[in-house]
Amino acid sequence: MSNAMRSEPPIENPKTRPVDTKLEVVVIPVSDVNRAKRFYDGLGWRLDADFTNDADFRVIQFTPPGSGCAIIFGRNVTAAAPGSAQGLYLIVSDIDAARRDLIARGVEVSDVFHDASGVYAGKDEPYLFGRLRIAGRDPEHRSYRSFASFKDPDGNGWLFQEVTTRLPGRIDADETAFSTSSDLASALRRAAAAHGEHEKRNGGKHDENWPDWYAEYMVNEQAGRELPL
């Protein structure tokens, strides 16, 4: 075999950092482009593009607030059936606030629900933790376990999922960041509530170092590490 025909040897170091591959666009199949544009604009999402090359092609892009991933839809953008996109997750730090916002915008949103742990059969719509929805928040207020759902006019299905504390390894603690002011405000409220309990345990004395305590709490919460007491 000539040198020109030889393939490159495989990279054997399993610790080699992979090339950055950022998920930035999800395609949403719709039947009425203008109706879909009005709906997603009404959610308060940022309109990034509305391009038309000719009578047979149009693409529209929206980005949810604080998201690094956008959606696109349009004419001749996908062959998928309108309404077939399901289980589209929108991560929020305060699910009640997210519901209130959409309701104020005239969008029909389900009540908050949680999963039946260990039960993966039922008549409810599929989602990450199974097909049996139980009304109300997760009773233990666990991160990842409280949901609400809504649909666009074609029936494409969206889920709010409340995430307040990431599982270990999901966030680089050295790069703590909050994508929106509301996410930061929610984190501050949780830190304030926890710090109040911290002061009670210490005889109610004012903690002069509360900024350091807040910072440690918020970084550890986001990184999924043990929280300060």
Side-chain angles (χ1 to χ4, degrees):
M1 181 183 294
S2 68
N3 289 337
M5 293 294 291
R6 290 197 185 102
S7 61
E8 292 293 327
I11 298 174
E12 297 181 356
N13 182 3
K15 295 184 179 180
T16 300
R17 189 182 186 281
V19 175
D20 285 350
T21 50
K22 300 179 177 66
L23 177 63
E24 293 201 0
V25 173
V26 173
V27 180
I28 307 297
V30 304
S31 59
D32 185 322
V33 179
N34 288 324
R35 181 180 65 176
K37 182 180 180 180
R38 289 192 298 270
F39 176 81
Y40 287 103
D41 182 65
L43 297 183
W45 295 10
R46 186 185 72 223
L47 175 62
D48 298 322
D50 185 350
F51 296 136
T52 301
N53 286 353
D54 53 48
D56 295 323
F57 178 79
R58 183 181 180 189
V59 61
I60 296 173
Q61 177 173 308
F62 278 97
T63 300
S67 176
C69 184
I71 64 166
I72 64 171
F73 55 86
R75 187 166 52 248
N76 288 332
V77 170
T78 175
S84 61
Q86 300 296 321
L88 300 164
Y89 278 69
L90 295 168
I91 305 306
V92 296
S93 60
D94 185 334
I95 200 164
D96 293 316
R99 285 189 72 252
R100 287 195 300 269
D101 177 65
L102 258 61
I103 291 170
R105 297 174 183 275
V107 178
E108 184 176 346
V109 188
S110 78
D111 292 332
V112 176
F113 62 90
H114 63 280
D115 67 295
S117 297
V119 179
Y120 295 93
K123 297 181 179 179
D124 294 324
E125 295 177 4
Y127 64 106
L128 187 62
F129 291 101
R131 296 192 66 171
L132 184 59
R133 299 182 176 189
I134 300 176
R137 282 175 167 272
D138 176 71
E140 298 176 30
H141 297 278
R142 292 173 294 177
S143 189
Y144 297 97
R145 293 286 181 163
S146 295
F147 304 86
S149 63
F150 67 96
K151 296 180 180 294
D152 73 5
D154 283 286
N156 293 301
W158 294 89
L159 282 164
F160 283 138
Q161 181 183 36
E162 185 177 78
V163 176
T164 55
T165 302
R166 296 281 178 175
L167 291 172
R170 301 293 179 88
I171 294 290
D172 186 343
D174 294 328
E175 298 181 1
T176 301
F178 297 93
S179 57
T180 66
S181 59
S182 61
D183 282 350
L184 175 58
S186 294
L188 285 167
R189 291 188 191 98
R190 293 191 297 274
H195 188 261
E197 297 302 316
H198 165 76
E199 287 187 326
K200 288 179 184 178
R201 287 191 293 271
N202 288 278
K205 183 180 178 181
H206 174 65
D207 180 10
E208 297 286 348
N209 295 317
W210 67 265
D212 297 319
W213 198 97
Y214 270 46
E216 182 183 1
Y217 186 96
M218 293 166 67
V219 169
N220 286 8
E221 181 188 56
Q222 192 174 83
R225 301 191 306 202
E226 184 177 356
L227 299 176
L229 297 176

